[in-house]
Amino acid sequence: MGSKIKSTQNFQENALGQNGFKTLSGTPTTATVLFSVIHIMTDATVTATNNCGKGDSFSSTALAAGYYYGRFSDISISAGTAIAYHIL
């Protein structure tokens, strides 16, 4: 899947969550759905596939509350709460 972030409007829509989000719990997201931001609301253990072709994936990684940017799929959260924002 190619990125559609080629204009200021698309960037702003993506950065501001205007393409939708998914509240994460114990059920993993679908492998074909991509997310650009994982917002950890409370400290959580995260497993997520990095789909940008560079860097590492999260594998049962303890993450502090905050924002994690990238290109993720197959996200699952345990021991915490999170919201994932859809990529364009």
Side-chain angles (χ1 to χ4, degrees), residues 1-85:
M1 289 184 194
S3 174
K4 294 182 183 178
I5 302 181
K6 298 185 185 330
S7 71
T8 301
Q9 178 182 351
N10 286 349
F11 172 79
Q12 289 173 343
E13 287 176 359
N14 195 66
L16 298 173
Q18 294 180 4
N19 201 39
F21 66 90
K22 177 155 181 68
T23 303
L24 301 174
S25 59
T27 305
T29 63
T30 307
T32 58
V33 178
L34 295 176
F35 299 90
S36 59
V37 178
I38 302 172
H39 179 192
I40 305 294
M41 307 294 286
T42 60
D43 294 357
T45 302
V46 178
T47 298
T49 302
N50 174 352
N51 281 298
C52 71
K54 301 174 186 171
D56 298 328
S57 296
F58 295 123
S59 179
S60 297
T61 305
L63 296 176
Y67 293 89
Y68 297 85
Y69 297 88
R71 186 179 171 115
F72 305 104
S73 69
D74 298 310
I75 305 169
S76 64
I77 303 292
S78 61
T81 58
I83 297 172
Y85 293 90

